[in-house]
Structure formats: C-alpha cells, structure tokens
Amino acid sequence: MLLSKRRPTAIIALKTLIHIVSLGFFALLVIAVNNNTLGGDPVQSVIHFTGISSLNTLLVTLLVSPIARWTKQGQLMRVRRLLGLYSFFWALLHLIAFATLDLGLDVSLLASEIVKRPYLTVGAAVWIILFLLAVTSTHSMQRKMGAKWQKLHNWVYLATILAVVHFYWSVKSEVAEPIIYIVIAGGILLTRWKGVKKTAFRFYSKRF
Ligand code: HEM
C-alpha cells in the first residue's frame, strides 16, 4: 500500500509539497507586488488572487476525503487540516488586502461595507466559518469538543456554497468563471452528499 501507516514518509512528502506550492504562490504574489507587474489595477489583482487562492484551496481540501475513499488511502486524510489552514491563510490575506489597500484600514468603513453590500456579508460569513474551523482544527480542540467538533466542521459545506455565491455576486458581468466554480463546487459537494445532507437536515430541523 502506497501510504500505509508504516510509511508516513509519503504523507510528509505530500505535506512538504503543499507548503512548497502554497508558499510558492505567496512568494510569486509578493514578487509581483514588489516589481509592480500586477497590471493596471494592482489592488484589485491582489484581492482577486487571494480570493481565488482561498477558494481553490478550500475545494482541494474537500476533495481529499473522496480521493482517500476511492483510492483506499485513508492516510491521505492527514493532509486535510494543512490544506484547510492554507485556505484560511489566503482568506486572511484577502481580507487584509481589501481592508488595507482598498479601504485604508478604516475599520468602521469595513464594517459598514460588509453590512451594506450583500456579497461582502456573504464573504464575511465564509470568513468567520473558516476562522472557526482553523482555530478548532487542533487535536486537543477535537478532543475537548467531542461530538460538537464534527458538527462544527460540517459547516465547511455551507462555507463552500457561500464562497461560490460570494464569487458569483462579486463579478459585474463576466459570470463564466464563477459559474464554472459553482459547477465544480456542486460536483465536489455531491461526492460528500451524506455529510451535506446531515448538516442541512440538522440546520433545518432546528429552525422548523
Ligand atoms: C470579510 C471577508 C471578505 C471580504 C471583505 C471580501 C471581499 C472581496 C472583494 C472586495 C472582492 C472583489 C470584488 C470586485 O471585483 O470588485 C472579492 C472577490 C472574491 N472573493 Fe472575497 N471577501 C471576503 C471573504 C472571502 C472568502 C472567505 C473567500 C474564499 C473562500 C473569498 C473569495 C473571493 C473570490 C473567489 C473572489 C473573486 C475573485 C476574482 O474575481 O477573481 N472571499 N472579495
């Protein structure tokens, strides 16, 4: 078996690859900002790059479980936490870029923009979910929270749906790319259908 318990080297190699790819893209962004090669609207480019990177990493995180199941490589699940943390890392940079470069670090303006613009309200909801998942992602938090941990971490499905809604809503006219993302996210969520159904049912039955 390629990734058996006796050979954690493969998992270490995979984690190293995730660090190299993620930090590599971050380095490319820093270099492009430094060299001023981000085109006519560098601020928008940084916001777009960090937003797309967060969404891409979130989708890859969701793919780990079906791939582990299909390939019968349960050890693959051990890279999920790292990928999830990188999704939050990009979401953090995305918010920092918007708050500082676009709004001049005016916190009250940021708050009023989030309340006034529905696509930003949705983005903020995704951000809060990713934040909660990141801070509770450690083994000790998992032990402390017991059954509540899985319930909270199932909110990743809602975060994914809201993230593609935020993307679709943020564009003015070119909807092709967000629609492609909606289809991809829908496909990935279908592979996780049991978890999605359980979370939706729990959410629905608490309200009605
Ligand atoms: C408080 C949280 C957030 C704020 C304030 C925010 C803000 C923004 C803004 C201002 C834009 C650009 C809209 C434009 O083109 O004018 C944007 C686009 C985007 N955001 Fe967010 N966002 C937030 C959270 C997130 C999160 C958590 C994700 C991903 C999981 C995300 C993914 C995206 C994507 C994919 C785009 C489109 C990028 C593109 O056009 O290429 N955002 N967001």
Side-chain angles (χ1 to χ4, degrees), residues 5-99:
K5 270 189 183 157
R6 268 171 275 129
R7 296 178 66 183
T9 333
I11 292 298
I12 294 170
L14 203 52
K15 284 187 177 176
T16 310
L17 182 70
I18 293 168
H19 284 300
I20 291 172
V21 171
S22 306
L23 297 176
F25 275 110
F26 178 62
L28 285 179
L29 178 66
V30 173
I31 291 167
V33 170
N34 256 346
N35 296 347
N36 216 355
T37 53
L38 280 173
D41 195 343
V43 170
Q44 277 305 94
S45 301
V46 174
I47 293 172
H48 288 192
F49 187 85
T50 50
I52 282 288
S53 301
S54 179
L55 180 56
N56 284 342
T57 321
L58 182 61
L59 295 178
V60 173
T61 311
L62 282 175
L63 271 175
V64 172
S65 170
I67 291 175
R69 205 170 48 232
W70 292 331
T71 58
K72 297 190 173 47
Q73 300 287 344
Q75 293 292 300
L76 273 179
M77 297 297 274
R78 288 166 60 183
V79 303
R80 230 172 23 160
R81 174 170 178 258
L82 182 61
L83 285 166
L85 287 175
Y86 268 119
S87 177
F88 177 65
F89 166 75
W90 287 112
L92 182 62
L93 290 180
H94 184 58
L95 177 59
I96 291 173
F98 178 58

Side-chain angles (χ1 to χ4, degrees), residues 110-139:
L110 172 67
S112 77
E113 285 288 295
I114 287 175
V115 171
K116 225 171 38 198
R117 297 179 200 273
Y119 88 92
L120 290 181
T121 317
V122 172
V126 182
W127 198 95
I128 290 167
I129 295 175
L130 294 185
F131 170 75
L132 290 174
L133 301 188
V135 295
T136 58
S137 67
T138 59
H139 289 304

